[in-house]
Amino acid sequence: FAHDLEQVLDRSSRAGVVGLFVCSTSQLDMQKVLKLRKAYPDRIHPCLGLHPLDGTFDEDVWAVTRELIIAEHFERGIAGIGEIGLDFSRPILREHAKANGTTEEEVRATQI
């Protein structure tokens, strides 16, 4: 919605929507979500996390991500923590885990 964000927000407001939960699936997404919240602090409620298929679950990346989430929580608050996946991603997650010699549970445990 980057090209028509103002129109989307206007239409949602006219429809009675008072706030939007905006979810991240990667570190890059987190920055975009936080930028949106800064621009619309009364309307945008961030949910920060990584999607299991993002592929950035090495220890260093996760440490930076975790610190970003914690800092944002204490500084301005967030609406939710954790990846915000869709149910249909479960078979994809299973295939991805199998192809990488791991299990779905190990990918999820890495997130936690």
Side-chain angles (χ1 to χ4, degrees):
F1 298 107
H3 66 284
D4 65 344
L5 179 62
E6 290 296 327
Q7 292 86 357
V8 170
L9 292 173
D10 184 53
R11 284 192 308 271
S12 68
S13 183
R14 284 185 280 133
V17 176
V18 295
L20 301 166
F21 291 101
V22 182
C23 305
S24 68
T25 60
S26 68
Q27 261 189 16
L28 180 60
D29 277 354
M30 285 183 206
Q31 298 301 328
K32 291 176 182 179
V33 168
L34 295 175
K35 186 177 177 181
L36 277 172
R37 189 253 287 275
K38 187 174 182 178
Y40 307 96
D42 296 331
R43 308 254 343 254
I44 302 296
H45 307 286
C47 300
L48 304 179
L50 299 175
H51 191 278
L53 301 182
D54 180 51
T56 56
F57 287 106
D58 68 60
E59 193 172 320
D60 293 334
V61 171
W62 177 236
V64 171
T65 301
R66 185 176 54 246
E67 290 305 314
L68 174 65
I69 292 170
I70 291 168
E72 192 63 29
H73 170 65
F74 283 116
E75 289 174 27
R76 287 170 283 282
I78 57 178
I81 300 174
E83 70 90 3
I84 314 300
L86 301 172
D87 290 340
F88 76 83
S89 70
R90 195 143 190 228
I92 298 169
L93 175 60
R94 213 174 290 121
E95 289 174 25
H96 181 76
K98 185 178 177 184
N100 289 298
T102 186
T103 67
E104 181 180 348
E105 291 77 19
E106 289 171 319
V107 172
R108 289 175 195 233
T110 302
Q111 288 184 297
I112 295 172

